[in-house]
Protein backbone atom coordinates (compact mmCIF):
# COMPACT_ATOMS: atom_id res chain seq x y z
CA UNK A 1 0.00 0.00 0.00
CA UNK A 2 1.15 3.61 -0.33
CA UNK A 3 3.01 5.11 2.66
CA UNK A 4 0.72 5.70 5.61
CA UNK A 5 0.58 8.92 7.65
CA UNK A 6 2.52 8.50 10.88
CA UNK A 7 -0.21 10.16 12.90
CA UNK A 8 -2.62 7.33 12.06
CA UNK A 9 -0.15 4.58 12.91
CA UNK A 10 1.28 6.09 16.11
CA UNK A 11 -2.15 7.05 17.44
CA UNK A 12 -3.39 3.50 16.82
CA UNK A 13 -0.40 2.15 18.75
CA UNK A 14 -0.90 4.62 21.62
CA UNK A 15 -4.56 3.68 21.99
CA UNK A 16 -3.78 -0.02 21.87
CA UNK A 17 -0.80 0.03 24.25
CA UNK A 18 1.93 -1.21 21.96
CA UNK A 19 4.90 0.45 20.29
CA UNK A 20 5.72 0.82 16.62
CA UNK A 21 9.30 -0.14 15.79
CA UNK A 22 11.07 2.61 13.92
CA UNK A 23 14.05 1.03 12.24
CA UNK A 24 16.92 2.78 10.47
CA UNK A 25 17.88 1.59 7.01
CA UNK A 26 21.19 2.55 5.44
CA UNK A 27 20.96 0.33 2.37
CA UNK A 28 18.53 -1.66 0.28
CA UNK A 29 19.01 -4.97 2.07
CA UNK A 30 18.28 -3.63 5.57
CA UNK A 31 15.31 -1.70 4.20
CA UNK A 32 13.94 -4.88 2.63
CA UNK A 33 14.56 -6.83 5.86
CA UNK A 34 12.44 -4.31 7.80
CA UNK A 35 9.53 -4.19 5.37
CA UNK A 36 9.45 -7.93 4.63
CA UNK A 37 9.42 -8.72 8.35
CA UNK A 38 6.61 -6.22 8.95
CA UNK A 39 4.58 -8.03 6.31
CA UNK A 40 5.29 -11.46 7.81
CA UNK A 41 4.54 -10.25 11.36
CA UNK A 42 1.41 -8.30 10.29
CA UNK A 43 2.95 -5.33 12.09
CA UNK A 44 2.71 -1.64 11.24
CA UNK A 45 6.23 -0.28 10.90
CA UNK A 46 8.14 2.96 10.70
CA UNK A 47 11.20 3.10 8.52
CA UNK A 48 13.44 5.99 9.37
CA UNK A 49 16.27 7.72 7.57
CA UNK A 50 18.76 9.94 9.34
CA UNK A 51 21.07 12.69 8.06
CA UNK A 52 24.09 10.36 7.71
CA UNK A 53 22.17 7.86 5.55
CA UNK A 54 20.71 10.67 3.48
CA UNK A 55 24.24 12.02 2.98
CA UNK A 56 25.50 8.57 2.02
CA UNK A 57 22.86 7.39 -0.45
CA UNK A 58 20.89 10.52 -1.33
CA UNK A 59 17.43 11.48 -0.11
CA UNK A 60 15.54 10.75 -3.33
CA UNK A 61 17.19 7.34 -3.74
CA UNK A 62 16.39 6.16 -0.21
CA UNK A 63 12.88 7.60 -0.14
CA UNK A 64 12.22 6.10 -3.58
CA UNK A 65 13.28 2.64 -2.42
CA UNK A 66 11.09 2.80 0.66
CA UNK A 67 8.06 3.90 -1.36
CA UNK A 68 8.53 1.05 -3.84
CA UNK A 69 8.98 -1.55 -1.08
CA UNK A 70 5.98 -0.23 0.88
CA UNK A 71 3.77 -0.38 -2.21
CA UNK A 72 4.46 -4.11 -2.47
CA UNK A 73 3.20 -5.02 1.02
CA UNK A 74 -0.22 -4.89 2.67
CA UNK A 75 0.85 -3.53 6.07
CA UNK A 76 1.19 0.19 6.89
CA UNK A 77 4.68 1.63 6.41
CA UNK A 78 5.55 5.10 7.72
CA UNK A 79 8.53 6.93 6.22
CA UNK A 80 10.09 8.98 9.04
CA UNK A 81 12.95 11.47 9.22
CA UNK A 82 15.25 10.60 12.14
CA UNK A 83 17.12 13.44 13.90
CA UNK A 84 16.20 16.05 11.28
CA UNK A 85 18.66 18.91 11.35
CA UNK A 86 16.35 21.83 10.67
CA UNK A 87 13.70 23.59 8.63
CA UNK A 88 15.29 22.96 5.25
CA UNK A 89 15.82 19.22 5.69
CA UNK A 90 12.28 18.76 6.98
CA UNK A 91 10.93 20.66 3.99
CA UNK A 92 12.98 18.52 1.59
CA UNK A 93 11.62 15.37 3.23
CA UNK A 94 8.05 16.63 2.91
CA UNK A 95 8.71 17.14 -0.77
CA UNK A 96 9.92 13.53 -1.05
CA UNK A 97 6.71 12.27 0.52
CA UNK A 98 7.81 11.47 4.09
CA UNK A 99 4.82 10.74 6.30
CA UNK A 100 6.47 11.62 9.62
CA UNK A 101 9.13 14.20 10.47
CA UNK A 102 11.55 15.01 13.26
CA UNK A 103 13.44 18.05 14.34
CA UNK A 104 16.11 17.42 16.95
CA UNK A 105 16.78 20.67 18.74
CA UNK A 106 17.75 18.92 21.98
CA UNK A 107 21.24 20.41 22.02
CA UNK A 108 19.97 23.97 21.61
CA UNK A 109 19.13 26.31 24.48
CA UNK A 110 15.53 25.64 25.58
CA UNK A 111 13.90 28.74 24.08
CA UNK A 112 15.65 28.19 20.76
CA UNK A 113 14.50 24.56 20.69
CA UNK A 114 10.92 25.76 21.33
CA UNK A 115 11.06 28.43 18.59
CA UNK A 116 12.64 26.24 15.91
CA UNK A 117 10.44 23.25 16.69
CA UNK A 118 7.27 25.39 16.56
CA UNK A 119 8.21 26.73 13.14
CA UNK A 120 8.72 23.23 11.72
CA UNK A 121 5.52 21.97 13.36
CA UNK A 122 3.73 24.70 11.41
CA UNK A 123 4.90 23.45 8.00
CA UNK A 124 4.45 19.80 8.99
CA UNK A 125 0.84 20.46 9.96
CA UNK A 126 0.13 22.37 6.75
CA UNK A 127 1.11 19.13 4.98
CA UNK A 128 -0.87 17.02 7.51
CA UNK A 129 2.24 15.19 8.73
CA UNK A 130 3.22 14.69 12.41
CA UNK A 131 6.42 16.09 13.85
CA UNK A 132 8.56 14.46 16.53
CA UNK A 133 10.63 16.80 18.71
CA UNK A 134 13.24 16.05 21.36
CA UNK A 135 13.60 17.42 24.83
CA UNK A 136 16.41 16.39 27.16
CA UNK A 137 19.36 14.65 25.55
CA UNK A 138 19.75 10.99 24.62
CA UNK A 139 23.55 10.73 24.78
CA UNK A 140 25.97 8.54 22.84
CA UNK A 141 27.67 5.31 24.05
CA UNK A 142 30.46 6.10 26.49
CA UNK A 143 28.43 8.68 28.43
CA UNK A 144 28.82 8.45 32.21
CA UNK A 145 25.82 7.55 34.41
CA UNK A 146 25.82 11.03 35.99
CA UNK A 147 25.82 12.64 32.52
CA UNK A 148 22.87 10.46 31.46
CA UNK A 149 20.99 11.41 34.64
CA UNK A 150 21.68 15.13 34.16
CA UNK A 151 20.47 15.07 30.53
CA UNK A 152 17.06 13.50 31.30
CA UNK A 153 13.79 15.13 30.27
CA UNK A 154 12.09 17.21 32.95
CA UNK A 155 8.33 16.41 33.11
CA UNK A 156 7.25 20.01 33.88
CA UNK A 157 9.35 21.39 31.06
CA UNK A 158 7.95 18.68 28.74
CA UNK A 159 4.43 19.99 29.32
CA UNK A 160 5.48 23.58 28.56
CA UNK A 161 7.38 22.39 25.47
CA UNK A 162 4.52 20.36 24.01
CA UNK A 163 1.99 23.17 24.66
CA UNK A 164 4.14 25.83 23.06
CA UNK A 165 5.43 23.85 20.06
CA UNK A 166 2.38 21.73 19.20
CA UNK A 167 4.65 18.77 18.43
CA UNK A 168 2.88 15.45 17.85
CA UNK A 169 5.44 13.05 19.33
CA UNK A 170 8.05 13.69 21.99
CA UNK A 171 11.45 11.98 22.12
CA UNK A 172 12.43 11.74 25.75
CA UNK A 173 15.70 11.14 27.57
CA UNK A 174 14.81 8.56 30.22
CA UNK A 175 17.93 6.43 30.67
CA UNK A 176 18.70 5.03 27.22
CA UNK A 177 21.91 5.81 25.30
CA UNK A 178 22.50 5.75 21.53
CA UNK A 179 24.71 3.00 20.03
CA UNK A 180 24.85 0.73 23.08
CA UNK A 181 25.94 -2.82 22.28
CA UNK A 182 25.06 -4.64 25.51
CA UNK A 183 21.42 -4.82 26.64
CA UNK A 184 21.83 -3.58 30.19
CA UNK A 185 20.10 -0.21 30.58
CA UNK A 186 17.05 0.26 32.80
CA UNK A 187 14.70 3.12 32.00
CA UNK A 188 13.44 5.67 34.52
CA UNK A 189 9.85 4.41 34.51
CA UNK A 190 8.44 6.94 37.06
CA UNK A 191 9.81 9.73 34.87
CA UNK A 192 8.17 8.26 31.74
CA UNK A 193 4.91 7.95 33.65
CA UNK A 194 5.10 11.56 34.87
CA UNK A 195 5.89 12.93 31.40
CA UNK A 196 3.10 10.98 29.75
CA UNK A 197 0.57 12.01 32.39
CA UNK A 198 1.34 15.64 31.56
CA UNK A 199 1.69 15.58 27.78
CA UNK A 200 -0.64 12.74 26.68
CA UNK A 201 1.02 12.43 23.28
CA UNK A 202 3.02 9.45 21.99
CA UNK A 203 6.49 9.30 23.57
CA UNK A 204 9.50 8.16 21.57
CA UNK A 205 12.44 6.15 22.85
CA UNK A 206 15.80 6.56 21.13
CA UNK A 207 18.80 4.35 21.86
CA UNK A 208 16.66 1.32 22.60
CA UNK A 209 19.21 -1.29 21.47
CA UNK A 210 20.85 -1.20 24.91
CA UNK A 211 17.65 -1.30 26.99
CA UNK A 212 16.48 -4.44 28.81
CA UNK A 213 13.35 -5.95 27.27
CA UNK A 214 11.42 -5.91 30.55
CA UNK A 215 12.11 -2.18 30.88
CA UNK A 216 10.87 -1.60 27.32
CA UNK A 217 7.64 -3.47 28.09
CA UNK A 218 7.03 -1.26 31.12
CA UNK A 219 7.81 1.91 29.17
CA UNK A 220 5.23 0.92 26.55
CA UNK A 221 2.63 0.52 29.28
CA UNK A 222 3.27 4.13 30.35
CA UNK A 223 3.13 5.88 26.98
CA UNK A 224 6.18 5.01 24.89
CA UNK A 225 4.63 4.49 21.45
CA UNK A 226 7.51 4.67 18.97
CA UNK A 227 10.77 2.87 19.64
CA UNK A 228 13.79 3.54 17.46
CA UNK A 229 16.19 0.70 16.75
CA UNK A 230 19.36 1.12 14.73
CA UNK A 231 22.46 -0.40 16.35
CA UNK A 232 20.99 -3.84 17.12
CA UNK A 233 19.81 -4.35 13.53
CA UNK A 234 22.99 -3.00 11.96
CA UNK A 235 25.12 -5.23 14.20
CA UNK A 236 23.07 -8.27 13.21
CA UNK A 237 23.55 -7.47 9.53
CA UNK A 238 27.26 -6.68 9.71
CA UNK A 239 28.26 -9.54 12.01
CA UNK A 240 26.55 -12.03 9.69
CA UNK A 241 28.19 -10.41 6.67
CA UNK A 242 31.60 -10.82 8.36
CA UNK A 243 30.83 -14.47 9.07
CA UNK A 244 29.83 -15.23 5.46
CA UNK A 245 32.89 -13.41 4.14
CA UNK A 246 35.14 -15.44 6.45
CA UNK A 247 33.48 -18.69 5.39
CA UNK A 248 33.64 -17.85 1.68
CA UNK A 249 36.81 -15.79 1.18
CA UNK A 250 36.68 -16.34 -2.59
CA UNK A 251 33.03 -15.34 -3.06
CA UNK A 252 32.87 -12.48 -5.57
CA UNK A 253 29.10 -12.21 -5.95
CA UNK A 254 27.91 -9.37 -3.73
CA UNK A 255 24.42 -10.88 -3.64
CA UNK A 256 25.73 -14.12 -2.13
CA UNK A 257 27.24 -12.06 0.71
CA UNK A 258 24.47 -9.51 1.35
CA UNK A 259 21.51 -11.90 0.93
CA UNK A 260 22.31 -13.99 4.06
CA UNK A 261 23.02 -10.77 6.03
CA UNK A 262 19.55 -9.53 5.07
CA UNK A 263 18.06 -12.71 6.59
CA UNK A 264 20.05 -12.12 9.79
CA UNK A 265 18.68 -8.57 10.04
CA UNK A 266 15.15 -9.94 9.65
CA UNK A 267 15.59 -12.18 12.70
CA UNK A 268 16.43 -9.15 14.85
CA UNK A 269 13.65 -6.95 13.44
CA UNK A 270 11.16 -9.74 14.21
CA UNK A 271 12.45 -10.11 17.77
CA UNK A 272 11.99 -6.38 18.45
CA UNK A 273 8.53 -6.20 16.85
CA UNK A 274 7.37 -8.99 19.15
CA UNK A 275 8.87 -7.33 22.25
CA UNK A 276 7.06 -4.11 21.29
CA UNK A 277 3.72 -5.95 20.93
CA UNK A 278 3.44 -4.79 17.31
CA UNK A 279 2.90 -8.21 15.69
CA UNK A 280 -0.56 -9.31 14.51
CA UNK A 281 -2.03 -5.79 14.59
CA UNK A 282 -2.87 -5.73 10.87
CA UNK A 283 -5.46 -7.98 9.23
CA UNK A 284 -4.91 -9.90 6.00
CA UNK A 285 -6.80 -7.13 4.22
CA UNK A 286 -4.45 -4.47 5.60
CA UNK A 287 -6.81 -3.07 8.26
CA UNK A 288 -5.91 -2.22 11.87
CA UNK A 289 -7.04 -4.94 14.31
CA UNK A 290 -8.27 -4.68 17.90
CA UNK A 291 -10.31 -2.02 19.65
CA UNK A 292 -8.72 0.96 21.32
CA UNK A 293 -8.06 0.44 25.02
CA UNK A 294 -6.50 3.77 26.04
CA UNK A 295 -7.72 7.32 25.62
ZN1 LIG B 1 18.17 8.80 18.10
Amino acid sequence: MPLVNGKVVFEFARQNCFAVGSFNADNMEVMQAIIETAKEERAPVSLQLGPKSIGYAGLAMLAGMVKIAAAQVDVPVVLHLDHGTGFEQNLMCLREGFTSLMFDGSRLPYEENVAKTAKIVEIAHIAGVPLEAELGQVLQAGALPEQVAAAMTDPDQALDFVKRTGCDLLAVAVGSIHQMRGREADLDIPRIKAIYEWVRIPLVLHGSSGVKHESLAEAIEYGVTKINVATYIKDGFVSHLRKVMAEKPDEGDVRALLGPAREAAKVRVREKMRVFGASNRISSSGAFISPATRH
Side-chain angles (χ1 to χ4, degrees):
M1 60 175 80
L3 293 173
V4 174
N5 191 306
K7 204 163 176 76
V8 174
V9 172
F10 301 133
E11 187 52 26
F12 173 75
R14 191 185 72 82
Q15 289 179 4
N16 288 281
C17 292
F18 74 95
V20 177
S22 199
F23 302 95
N24 291 70
D26 298 331
N27 64 356
M28 182 188 78
E29 285 77 10
V30 173
M31 190 263 299
Q32 288 174 318
I34 296 162
I35 294 182
E36 278 173 20
T37 310
K39 181 187 171 194
E40 290 163 12
E41 286 297 300
R42 309 308 304 162
V45 72
S46 166
L47 200 144
Q48 58 185 22
L49 307 173
K52 276 190 193 164
S53 308
I54 292 169
Y56 172 72
L59 180 60
M61 172 66 81
L62 288 174
M65 284 199 305
V66 177
K67 282 184 259 188
I68 290 167
Q72 291 170 347
V73 297
D74 52 3
V75 291
V77 177
V78 173
L79 175 54
H80 175 78
L81 170 63
D82 187 27
H83 291 286
T85 54
F87 186 82
E88 194 180 317
Q89 187 174 59
N90 273 278
L91 202 54
M92 294 296 286
C93 287
L94 272 182
R95 203 176 71 164
E96 289 296 339
F98 279 55
T99 57
S100 180
L101 296 173
M102 180 186 185
F103 170 60
D104 178 2
S106 62
R107 276 154 184 78
L108 299 173
Y110 180 69
E111 287 300 328
E112 205 180 329
N113 189 6
V114 169
K116 288 197 166 154
T117 300
K119 189 177 167 197
I120 300 171
V121 165
E122 205 181 326
I123 58 154
H125 287 182
I126 290 169
V129 166
L131 184 108
E132 175 185 336
E134 182 164 333
L135 186 66
Q137 283 184 27
V138 179
L139 302 176
Q140 303 295 318
L144 301 170
E146 53 270 31
Q147 291 172 316
V148 174
M152 284 195 192
T153 309
D154 174 72
D156 291 332
Q157 198 176 48
L159 178 63
D160 181 70
F161 185 83
V162 169
K163 269 190 185 164
R164 289 170 63 196
T165 62
C167 67
D168 304 277
L169 297 104
L170 185 67
V172 289
V174 287
S176 60
I177 302 172
H178 283 118
Q179 288 157 8
M180 269 178 81
R181 294 218 142 75
R183 193 184 296 154
E184 61 224 19
D186 283 305
L187 298 173
D188 184 341
I189 300 295
R191 186 178 297 267
I192 294 171
K193 209 173 160 185
I195 297 168
Y196 183 70
E197 271 171 14
W198 283 117
V199 304
R200 292 275 155 187
I201 61 170
L203 302 181
V204 182
L205 186 71
H206 287 238
S208 78
S209 295
V211 178
K212 292 176 188 166
H213 282 171
E214 54 271 29
S215 202
L216 290 177
E218 234 184 319
I220 292 166
E221 202 178 315
Y222 293 115
V224 168
T225 301
K226 171 175 174 282
I227 301 183
N228 297 0
V229 194
T231 303
Y232 186 62
I233 310 303
K234 262 189 259 185
D235 279 356
F237 184 85
V238 173
S239 60
H240 201 84
L241 180 60
R242 283 204 183 95
K243 186 170 156 257
V244 176
M245 289 177 85
E247 284 167 5
K248 301 178 180 176
D250 298 324
E251 181 59 68
D253 183 344
V254 72
R255 295 163 297 191
L257 301 172
L258 295 176
R262 177 171 57 199
E263 292 305 312
K266 283 180 72 173
V267 171
R268 291 193 170 196
V269 171
R270 192 182 316 281
E271 178 193 353
K272 291 296 178 185
M273 283 175 169
R274 290 183 182 179
V275 168
F276 301 163
S279 299
N280 300 313
R281 299 288 181 173
I282 305 299
S283 74
S284 56
S285 60
F288 291 101
I289 303 171
S290 93
T293 52
R294 175 155 63 191
H295 299 285

